[in-house]
């Protein structure tokens, strides 16, 4: 067998397409369909699986497994007739052994360079146990925080999400996919998954083509240009056509327009799900429709494997579609060096001081200071006693956020970190709310109990601690899987009795600082007035504790900005900053009844996209736009007017006054993280070219129509005074 395998796998000097031709010409239909199938890794691998692998039944396996298991299954696949190696995938979403902040938190850093460094760490650690392919980054634009998977992506804005996704891909894939420490990235969920109707996971989406192209496709396109190895087709239907069998997105856009030649795997079971979607009549129809639409590999369900032979034999499916899919898969495997003895680390790479400090830095940059009355923060280290309250102050697993791989034993919680900083005697701790687990409960019961648990029996201890303290820090929010897959919520208030907890603490009259760990924006208008300070921490990862505590005491200065708008109430959803103006925008003095507004709530979010305070203050001077050659130089002076050295994320927005298709009131076109010493000023410059100002017009052409525009250099998406300029 091995001799035959060697004969058809041409040496590495031969161009990849020729190597693929040689292999394809020898493959049976069964072997081709095997390549198009992805199964789950049984750990330890059973004899049945090893036998199937020797028969060429799978092109890929995925899931968590020990390095020994991975080696065993790889060897079994290599013993198959043609010796085609497996590609081993896993969900390495935000860190592997070193737990990084959730992607939404990473986006709040507005720091792609650091995100790239941290993704490199993930790749090094994950590849050290034999993982070759990660189902990440998720780049679904999400404008509805009811959708729990918002935590896994980069928020509401296509420009920011593109920058973050590209940085992540570069970090994973490194300088070459062939390196032992590179991971092939998989952009997901292609496409529109974040637009799930009513924020209900897996729900259908309705996205007009212009919006699809201007917003939802943008990060995917940016990653294609950056050389991403693969994509995952989404669960959802887009305008009635499921993404896993959608010829428009999979063929027209991805292959024809972008020239993508890597591979596309379906999401879990998504081929079979074409049946309940009401798109395929049965498994055979599902296999045919997904292959013809341009899908290459089926994850978990086995319709392609089962019905492929019959479809080809009956001429319902031309073999050219199967050959095309297998070609994409083999190309990806060749690119990873899987046929050429890809090197493999001998030992698992564990977290180190350096990786943990990178994770801490990213966590610090992701913290968004939303409120700081009378500069209560930073706290003085000379403070007497501090009360640490709340259900999330000491939850090593929950601080990792959803889809975490890291071991909770490597987590440093806020409680541990503050004790390390101040010593035990000055710290009073009371969780106040217990995260309950009862024998026999399903996981759903556990999660819904956390959401509805109104038990206040722990409040008295918490209030007593607060009364003895000089300041109270209350850790609120969501435990790990309250956000994430299949974790949609219709109510976005702090879960359970957390609002009541803040009420009870407020009655002590002590200053209260809230720290919220959550996968998504929560509606907190009921409690913000009672808090003197508020930090939004997302799912901060292994180093949540040191990052948050150093920030509370000013050893780190907050600089994160919101990657999503925070609604005042779920009634405002979907809410996002780059919306259209309408013909009847709300008037500045709200004097007209007949405008687009609510009777019972302002239109504005509680906290806008791009917003985040610092321990210092920044003054933004006038924005200037100068035409220079083919481009526009946009610049403004920014001054640190406070007493603390700090970083600031300076943002560039534009607006087009009139166009063949109405344009959003503002669109993010650039951002820069700058460092300013107290009193220091810096001129911040951005460049805009025609291409940056283009959009999909009425004829669905990507065009920069001539016209008048406005530009703001601003600290967030709502402030500043624009400068006008003209695009000829
Ligand atoms: C389903 C999820 O939607 C996807 O994001 C994930 O990568 C796959 N399952 C594999 O676990």
């Amino acid at each position: 067998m091995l001799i035959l395998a060697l004969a058809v796998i041409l040496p590495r000097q031969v161009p990849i397409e020729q190597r693929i031709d040689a292999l394809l010409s020898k493959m049976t239909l069964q072997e081709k369909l095997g390549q198009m199938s992805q199964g789950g890794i049984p750990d330890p691998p059973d004899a049945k699986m090893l036998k199937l692998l020797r028969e060429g039944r799978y092109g890929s396996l995925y899931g968590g497994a020990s390095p020994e298991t991975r080696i065993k299954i790889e060897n079994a696949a290599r013993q198959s007739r043609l010796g085609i190696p497996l590609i081993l995938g896993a969900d390495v979403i935000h860190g592997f052994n070193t737990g990084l902040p959730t992607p939404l938190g990473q986006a709040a850093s507005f720091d792609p360079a650091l995100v790239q460094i941290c993704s490199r760490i993930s790749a090094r650690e994950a590849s050290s146990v034999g993982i070759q392919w990660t189902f990440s980054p998720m780049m679904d634009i999400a404008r509805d925080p009811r959708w729990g998977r918002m935590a896994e992506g980069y928020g509401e804005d296509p420009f920011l999400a593109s920058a973050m996704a590209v940085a992540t891909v570069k970090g994973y894939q490194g300088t070459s996919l062939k390196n032992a420490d590179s991971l092939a990235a998989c952009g997901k969920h292609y496409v529109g998954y974040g637009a799930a109707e009513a924020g209900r996971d897996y729900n259908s989406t309705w996205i007009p083509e212009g919006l699809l192209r201007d917003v939802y496709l943008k990060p995917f396109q940016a990653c294609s240009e950056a050389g991403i190895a693969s994509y995952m087709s989404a669960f959802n239907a887009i305008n009635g056509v499921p993404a896993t069998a959608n010829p428009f997105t999979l063929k027209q856009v991805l292959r024809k327009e972008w020239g993508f030649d890597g591979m596309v795997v379906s999401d879990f079971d998504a081929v079979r799900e074409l049946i309940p979607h009401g798109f395929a009549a049965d498994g055979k129809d599902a296999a045919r429709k997904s292959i013809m639409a341009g899908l290459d590999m089926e994850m978990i369900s086995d319709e392609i494997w089962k019905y492929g032979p019959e479809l080809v034999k009956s001429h319902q499916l031309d073999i050219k579609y199967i050959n095309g899919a297998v070609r994409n898969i083999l190309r990806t495997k060749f690119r990873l060096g899987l046929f050429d003895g890809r090197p493999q680390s001998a030992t698992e790479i564990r977290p180190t001081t350096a990786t943990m400090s990178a994770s801490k830095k990213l966590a610090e940059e992701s913290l968004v200071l939303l409120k700081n009355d009378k500069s209560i923060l930073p706290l003085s280290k000379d403070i007497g006693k501090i009360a640490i309250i709340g259900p999330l102050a000491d939850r090593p697993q929950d601080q990792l956020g959803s889809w975490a791989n890291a071991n909770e034993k490597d987590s440093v919680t806020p409680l541990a970190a503050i004790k390390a900083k101040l010593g035990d005697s000055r710290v009073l701790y009371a969780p106040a709310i217990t995260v309950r687990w009862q024998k026999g409960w399903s996981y759903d019961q556990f999660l819904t109990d956390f959401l509805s648990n109104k038990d206040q029996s722990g409040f008295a201890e918490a209030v007593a601690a607060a009364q003895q303290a000089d300041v109270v820090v209350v850790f609120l929010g969501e435990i790990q899987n309250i956000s994430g897959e299949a974790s949609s919520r219709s109510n976005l208030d702090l879960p359970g009795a957390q609002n009541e907890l803040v009420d009870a603490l407020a009655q002590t009259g002590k200053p209260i600082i809230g720290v919220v760990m959550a996968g998504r924006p929560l509606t907190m208008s009921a409690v913000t007035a009672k808090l003197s300070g508020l930090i939004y921490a997302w799912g901060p990862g292994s180093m949540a504790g040191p990052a948050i505590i150093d920030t509370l005491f000013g050893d780190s200065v907050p600089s994160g900005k919101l990657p999503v708008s925070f609604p005042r109430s779920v009634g405002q959803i979907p809410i996002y900053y780059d919306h259209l103006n309408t013909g009847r925008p709300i008037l500045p003095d709200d004097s007209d009844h007949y405008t687009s507004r609510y009777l019972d709530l302002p239109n504005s979010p509680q906290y806008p996209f791009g917003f985040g305070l610092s321990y210092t203050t920044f003054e933004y001077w006038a924005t200037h736009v100068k035409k220079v050659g083919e481009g526009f130089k946009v610049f403004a002076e920014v001054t640190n007017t406070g007493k603390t050295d700090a970083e600031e994320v300076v943002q560039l927005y534009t607006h087009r006054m009139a166009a063949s298709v109405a344009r959003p009131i503002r669109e993010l076109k650039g951002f820069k993280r700058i460092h300013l010493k107290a009193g220091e000023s810096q001129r911040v410059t951005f460049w805009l070219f025609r291409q940056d100002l283009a959009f999909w017009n009425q004829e669905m052409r990507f065009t920069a129509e001539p016209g008048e525009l406005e530009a703001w250099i601003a600290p967030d998406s709502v402030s500043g005074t624009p400068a006008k300029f003209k695009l000829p």
Side-chain angles (χ1 to χ4, degrees), residues 38 62-63 90-93 134-136 138 140 149 152 186 188-189 193 201-202 232-235 266-269 299-300 403 485:
Q38 184 182 58
Y62 98 92
D91 286 293
V92 182
I93 310 291
T134 174
F135 304 133
S136 169
M138 176 178 124
D140 296 309
R149 300 201 79 172
E152 289 176 58
C186 183
K188 69 186 190 186
H189 303 86
Y193 185 38
D201 204 5
Y202 315 120
M232 181 185 291
S233 70
F235 287 126
S266 77
D267 204 340
F268 192 108
D269 239 2
M299 184 188 285
I300 296 296
W403 282 114
E485 186 172 349

Side-chain angles (χ1 to χ4, degrees), residues 47 51 66 72 75 84 91 113 247-248 254 256 288 294 305 307 353 372 400 438 455 526 601 607 642 663 711:
K51 180 170 175 284
S66 64
K72 266 194 195 149
N75 286 343
I84 301 178
D91 286 293
F248 174 67
L254 189 65
K256 288 209 185 115
R288 189 180 63 87
W305 170 260
Y307 298 107
T353 318
N372 196 15
L400 295 172
Q438 273 176 34
D455 179 19
L601 207 64
Y607 300 109
R663 302 303 302 153

